[in-house]
Amino acid sequence: MVLLLSILERPVPIEGQPADPEQRKAWGWWKVKKWTIHILNRLYTRFGDMRLQNPESKAFAQMFTKTYAGKIMECHLNLLNTIRTGGYLPDRVINLIMQYLSNSVSKNSLYQLLKPRLDVLLFEIIFPLMCFNDNDQKLWDEDPHEYVRKGYDFFEDLYSPRTAAVDFVNEYGEAPLQHKPYRQKDGALLAIGMLSERLKKIEPYKSELERMLVQHAFPEFRSPVGHLRAKAAWVAGQYADIEFCDWNNFRAALHSVVAGLRDPELPVRVDSVFGLRSFVEACKDLGEIRPILPQLLDDFFKLMNEIENEDLVFTLETIVDKFGEEMAPYALGLCQNLASAFWRCMSTAEADEDGDDPSGALAAVGCLRAISTILESMSKLSHLFVNIEPIIFPILQRMLTTDGQEVLEEVLEIVSYMTFFSPTISLQMWSLWPLMVQALADWAIDYFSNQNLEDTDIEPAPKLIEVVFQSCKGQMDHWVEPYLRITVERLRRTEKSFLKSLLIQVVANALYYNAILALNILHRLGVSSEIFELWFQMLQQVKKSGMRVNFRREYDKKICCLGLTSLLSLPADQLPSEAWGRIFRATLELLVAYKDQVAESAKEIEDEDDDNDIDDFLSDDEDDFEDEMEDEEEDKDEADNAKLKKLAAQAKTFRPDDDEGDDDSDDDSFSDDEVLQSPTNEVDPFVFFVDTIKGLQASDALRFQNLTLTLEFQYRALADGVAQHAEQRRAQIAAAAAIPS
């Protein structure tokens, strides 16, 4: 420690310092200083907080904080004083010193040492660091693209003395007040913007923010100096979400930011984009933006052709998300421009062989994310996907190779939208499937950092298997055994009841696919008794309220019914009479539970419609016709929102992660049948059950008679009720089919 402090205190000789700035910061003396400060910062981060120490390090931490932490800060302040007197310090050295000071502010002992020097530190050292300087002006004039890149580059922030200075002010919680000279005002606006989250919460600043913005920030939109116009747009965005007493102030700032998109100075245009995102998010009346939306998008695309910046894409995402389906007329153009921007960004990233500039890669990811947002917002307009596919297909095709390892999640999300929302899956899209399989085999498996996946992580797997069973009936016999094998293996170590239900439903789907084949495979694996015992046990498990623990959705019950019913048609040598009776009884009970749940769901929908009718009846009929029509639309929207909120709440209570407790929450009220498209939608379980029993009766009347004679009276009554309901359902289905579409 003494050696490190000695190196830190030793003055750097004036003689021999290179005149060239790049050579000077790499000079040996400054490198030694930099790494000494780096080491001391690491020691302070590790041992400077006694609350984080374990018994082994506590003694050293006490010695370090008591003996050396203050001396290190004293050396740092002396070094910073070089700036105050016009001397030279490398940017990285300043950055590291400011990091140490930022971490020291929260420690009372070090703050007391710092407090007497705060005025000098804040106003004579830190504030000038935050101000627009000669280097900024030179870069602004000679290379505005580089100016923008440095301003938005995360990696530049890591080494920037300005960012470190801002962090210190943020920690300390005070901002300078000088607002006159251009460069000083730039620094002041930067401080105010960086402190926005704090100032928006604390009085008396909170109530004075609008007046401060109107008097000191918004006038700079008209400044003759470009960097102040840029800073005004940025600061306005930082405070766009405050409660404006005068909405005209919000409107004026919004239009000033929009006008900044056409500023002759590139950095002003980019900062205006940043500010616009906040205004779009905060805007209560989209009518302010709607009339200028086409021009706004045109300005965006011009700027995207000029510069690769992920904030451009973030703002575009926000606009698309806010306007939703209203963006339909622009969807094709948006995707075309984003695709073009993506390829440009990829070219930039590929040209950066050393990886020093990640901006191109980040912007490329942003383009993909924006395309996903557009596709999601257009989900109900399936006809648009046919025209969008040729635009984005080359991206998907290329990025499903090793070139796309960093964007796999974004690419798969786009693929899912294109296949789910599109009216059909084209042969071109199907050609991506082998690429996805190959990617998984070669490199995408690395995305699964933990091969021992939790129950919730693998829920999609059994759902996918059942889709294959249902959609490829008779075409995948050779896959039945592998699917059943992995299902049984996972079932034996699964704890969550929801996943257990999904895995049992894989068995049910296999039986519905081909009962003889599936049952023989279970016998061959030696697990048939084990699986059916577990299945029947799960069917019987109920909560204190009487509600089922497992198979809670309508869909779950239906699939179990189809699987069990498929067994009832098997010949005697495949299904002994004792097993037949047990399956028959379980299926009857499940069908009755399914019937009750369907009826309850229908009643809830009817009650909601009645509530909406009452609300409409009670509407204020004294308004004129146009106002009444508008109110009806708003009521409809509110009713729709209420339904969505109710469904969301039900879905939340339904999630299986909460099934350890025996609460009485109405999980069964949730059904996702309306969002599930499956060939089984066309199969009525009651009709299927009755037809299966009739088939057995016709093929082997004596066996059927012997089997039914062993049934208790209550199950005979249930069977009669199910048979009657099946005929009602058959008549309803026939009537619905007769109605012209």
Side-chain angles (χ1 to χ4, degrees):
M1 290 302 303
V2 174
L3 175 62
L4 290 171
L5 281 174
S6 175
I7 295 172
L8 194 60
E9 291 172 340
R10 183 172 299 180
V12 176
I14 303 297
E15 298 80 13
Q17 289 202 39
D20 181 79
E22 290 299 317
Q23 293 180 8
R24 178 182 282 191
K25 69 181 182 183
W27 193 41
W29 274 92
W30 288 121
K31 277 196 170 184
V32 170
K33 289 282 186 184
K34 179 186 74 172
W35 284 109
T36 302
I37 297 170
H38 219 313
I39 293 168
L40 291 170
N41 280 13
R42 286 292 180 89
L43 288 169
Y44 182 68
T45 302
R46 175 68 181 82
F47 299 106
D49 192 335
M50 294 301 300
R51 296 170 298 179
L52 304 178
Q53 306 308 312
N54 54 40
E56 292 79 12
S57 62
K58 197 168 185 179
F60 180 82
Q62 286 177 333
M63 181 273 295
F64 178 83
T65 53
K66 185 176 181 180
T67 308
Y68 294 107
K71 292 181 179 179
I72 295 169
M73 187 171 72
E74 187 74 25
C75 292
H76 284 352
L77 290 172
N78 289 337
L79 271 173
L80 280 181
N81 201 51
T82 306
I83 303 174
R84 183 184 171 211
T85 57
Y88 171 79
L89 274 186
D91 286 352
R92 183 57 172 151
V93 171
I94 298 172
N95 175 279
L96 290 168
I97 291 174
M98 295 308 306
Q99 287 182 33
Y100 188 95
L101 296 181
S102 296
N103 291 330
S104 302
V105 171
S106 59
K107 311 294 189 301
N108 187 58
S109 59
L110 294 181
Y111 177 73
Q112 294 304 321
L113 294 175
L114 191 62
K115 192 174 180 180
R117 304 190 184 188
L118 273 176
D119 280 353
V120 172
L121 181 63
L122 283 169
F123 296 110
E124 297 185 36
I125 297 174
I126 290 179
F127 185 56
L129 286 174
M130 296 170 65
C131 291
F132 196 83
N133 58 36
D134 290 336
N135 290 333
D136 295 326
Q137 185 68 58
K138 182 179 180 182
L139 201 57
W140 179 287
D141 294 335
E142 297 178 1
D143 192 351
H145 287 79
E146 179 64 10
Y147 179 88
V148 170
R149 188 197 67 77
K150 291 186 70 172
Y152 286 90
D153 190 340
F154 168 77
F155 295 97
E156 286 285 342
D157 286 346
L158 292 178
Y159 303 105
S160 165
R162 178 172 292 157
T163 302
V166 167
D167 289 342
F168 177 83
V169 174
N170 226 344
E171 286 292 327
Y172 182 64
E174 285 196 11
L177 299 176
Q178 295 97 324
H179 291 153
K180 289 186 179 180
Y182 291 145
R183 295 186 176 186
Q184 288 178 320
K185 184 155 190 180
D186 187 286
L189 290 175
L190 175 63
I192 290 169
M194 294 303 298
L195 291 171
S196 60
E197 292 305 314
R198 183 172 307 213
L199 297 179
K200 283 186 279 191
K201 296 175 183 175
I202 301 174
E203 292 291 358
Y205 310 110
K206 180 180 176 181
S207 57
E208 295 295 320
L209 288 176
E210 183 176 357
R211 188 167 65 87
M212 180 273 294
L213 292 170
V214 171
Q215 289 183 1
H216 301 293
F218 294 169
E220 301 307 329
F221 282 119
R222 301 181 297 276
S223 172
V225 181
H227 64 81
L228 278 182
R229 297 197 302 275
K231 201 67 79 203
W234 177 78
V235 170
Q238 296 296 98
Y239 290 95
D241 60 342
I242 68 171
E243 288 294 329
F244 281 84
C245 299
D246 185 350
W247 192 246
N248 288 324
N249 290 331
F250 177 91
R251 185 180 293 112
L254 168 62
H255 286 285
S256 295
V257 168
V258 171
L261 295 176
R262 295 184 291 279
D263 194 278
E265 304 269 15
L266 176 65
V268 179
R269 299 198 294 276
V270 174
D271 275 340
S272 296
V273 167
F274 180 90
L276 180 63
R277 180 165 82 247
S278 300
F279 275 94
V280 172
E281 289 172 344
C283 193
K284 298 174 183 176
D285 180 13
L286 292 179
E288 294 286 343
I289 303 173
R290 193 173 285 112
I292 60 172
L293 191 55
Q295 180 62 48
L296 202 61
L297 295 174
D298 189 51
D299 292 335
F300 260 97
F301 296 140
K302 288 178 181 176
L303 198 51
M304 287 175 71
N305 288 330
E306 276 190 82
I307 190 168
E308 296 155 8
N309 184 285
E310 58 183 326
D311 281 282
L312 288 172
V313 184
F314 292 158
T315 301
L316 189 58
E317 275 190 88
T318 303
I319 293 173
V320 171
D321 190 54
K322 199 81 169 179
F323 281 90
E325 291 184 15
E326 290 185 56
M327 298 297 292
Y330 317 107
L332 199 60
L334 285 168
C335 288
Q336 286 173 333
N337 280 277
L338 285 167
S340 298
F342 172 82
W343 291 119
R344 286 196 303 273
C345 295
M346 285 300 297
S347 297
T348 301
E350 289 167 358
D352 180 31
E353 296 179 358
D354 297 330
D356 296 332
D357 182 9
S359 60
L362 292 172
V365 174
C367 290
L368 294 180
R369 201 162 46 239
I371 290 173
S372 286
T373 303
I374 293 167
L375 297 179
E376 185 179 14
S377 68
M378 303 293 113
S379 59
K380 295 180 181 177
L381 307 172
S382 58
H383 62 282
L384 294 175
F385 285 75
V386 177
N387 297 323
I388 291 173
E389 182 180 316
I391 298 169
I392 63 175
F393 178 79
I395 295 176
L396 303 178
Q397 191 176 41
R398 166 87 179 276
M399 292 300 112
L400 282 171
T401 67
T402 51
D403 291 344
Q405 293 189 41
E406 301 301 323
V407 295
L408 180 63
E409 292 183 43
E410 288 78 11
V411 168
L412 291 180
E413 185 173 75
I414 294 174
V415 171
S416 68
Y417 289 149
M418 291 301 299
T419 52
F420 188 79
F421 296 127
S422 184
T424 59
I425 301 177
S426 68
L427 290 176
Q428 185 172 243
M429 288 300 296
W430 269 113
S431 71
L432 297 177
W433 176 250
L435 294 177
M436 294 163 65
V437 174
Q438 189 63 43
L440 183 62
D442 291 347
W443 51 269
I445 193 67
D446 294 340
Y447 273 76
F448 299 95
S449 56
N450 179 10
Q451 300 300 315
N452 298 316
L453 299 176
E454 298 295 329
D455 285 354
T456 51
D457 295 327
I458 69 159
E459 286 175 11
K463 294 179 182 178
L464 285 171
I465 294 174
E466 72 174 0
V467 168
V468 175
F469 275 134
Q470 293 172 12
S471 303
C472 305
K473 209 167 174 71
Q475 302 175 51
M476 48 160 292
D477 291 5
H478 60 292
W479 282 106
V480 176
E481 182 169 345
Y483 283 157
L484 286 177
R485 187 185 298 275
I486 61 173
T487 297
V488 171
E489 288 174 359
R490 186 69 200 200
L491 189 58
R492 285 171 170 165
R493 64 178 192 271
T494 293
E495 298 178 357
K496 297 288 186 182
S497 65
F498 182 64
L499 182 57
K500 282 185 179 179
S501 297
L502 291 177
L503 293 169
I504 288 292
Q505 282 164 231
V506 171
V507 178
N509 275 286
L511 292 168
Y512 178 64
Y513 172 84
N514 187 326
I516 294 178
L517 175 62
L519 189 60
N520 285 336
I521 290 171
L522 292 175
H523 285 321
R524 189 160 62 248
L525 295 175
V527 297
S528 53
S529 297
E530 174 189 345
I531 293 298
F532 284 106
E533 282 299 326
L534 175 61
W535 195 346
F536 292 137
Q537 180 185 345
M538 291 173 65
L539 285 171
Q540 296 301 318
Q541 286 180 331
V542 293
K543 297 182 179 183
K544 293 177 182 178
S545 62
M547 294 171 56
R548 291 178 181 271
V549 174
N550 308 295
F551 312 113
R552 292 179 286 182
R553 301 177 299 175
E554 293 173 18
Y555 175 79
D556 301 337
K557 294 178 177 66
K558 178 177 178 177
I559 293 301
C560 284
C561 287
L562 296 180
L564 292 172
T565 301
S566 299
L567 287 169
L568 297 176
S569 63
L570 296 181
D573 61 334
Q574 293 279 339
L575 191 69
S577 58
E578 181 182 348
W580 191 95
R582 191 173 183 186
I583 293 170
F584 186 82
R585 293 179 181 87
T587 308
L588 282 175
E589 292 175 348
L590 202 53
L591 283 167
V592 172
Y594 174 73
K595 175 176 174 289
D596 293 343
Q597 186 172 351
V598 171
E600 181 64 27
S601 298
K603 184 176 183 300
E604 287 182 3
I605 294 173
E606 184 180 344
D607 290 344
E608 287 174 359
D609 291 340
D610 290 343
D611 290 342
N612 294 337
D613 291 342
I614 292 172
D615 291 341
D616 292 341
F617 178 76
L618 295 175
S619 62
D620 188 359
D621 57 2
E622 294 182 2
D623 293 336
D624 60 34
F625 181 73
E626 286 188 5
D627 289 343
E628 185 174 338
M629 292 299 291
E630 291 175 2
D631 290 343
E632 286 176 0
E633 287 299 319
E634 290 174 3
D635 291 343
K636 182 178 183 299
D637 290 342
E638 290 174 4
D640 289 343
N641 288 336
K643 286 182 183 179
L644 289 172
K645 288 178 181 177
K646 183 175 181 180
L647 283 173
Q650 291 172 343
K652 185 176 180 181
T653 61
F654 168 75
R655 289 303 301 160
D657 295 339
D658 302 327
D659 58 15
E660 286 82 25
D662 196 26
D663 60 87
D664 293 336
S665 60
D666 191 10
D667 296 338
D668 265 355
S669 64
F670 173 76
S671 169
D672 62 1
D673 299 318
E674 65 274 10
V675 298
L676 183 66
Q677 298 179 357
S678 162
T680 60
N681 289 356
E682 306 301 318
V683 181
D684 185 273
F686 301 97
V687 174
F688 182 69
F689 175 79
V690 169
D691 288 348
T692 301
I693 298 302
K694 286 181 178 178
L696 175 63
Q697 186 177 13
S699 63
D700 193 343
L702 182 60
R703 180 185 175 218
F704 175 77
Q705 184 178 2
N706 292 333
L707 290 171
T708 54
L709 284 175
T710 62
L711 288 177
E712 298 84 349
F713 174 78
Q714 67 184 84
Y715 286 104
R716 293 183 186 179
L718 286 179
D720 290 339
V722 167
Q724 291 177 10
H725 186 68
E727 294 311 312
Q728 293 174 6
R729 288 291 301 134
R730 201 188 303 273
Q732 291 169 355
I733 293 168
I739 299 174
S741 57

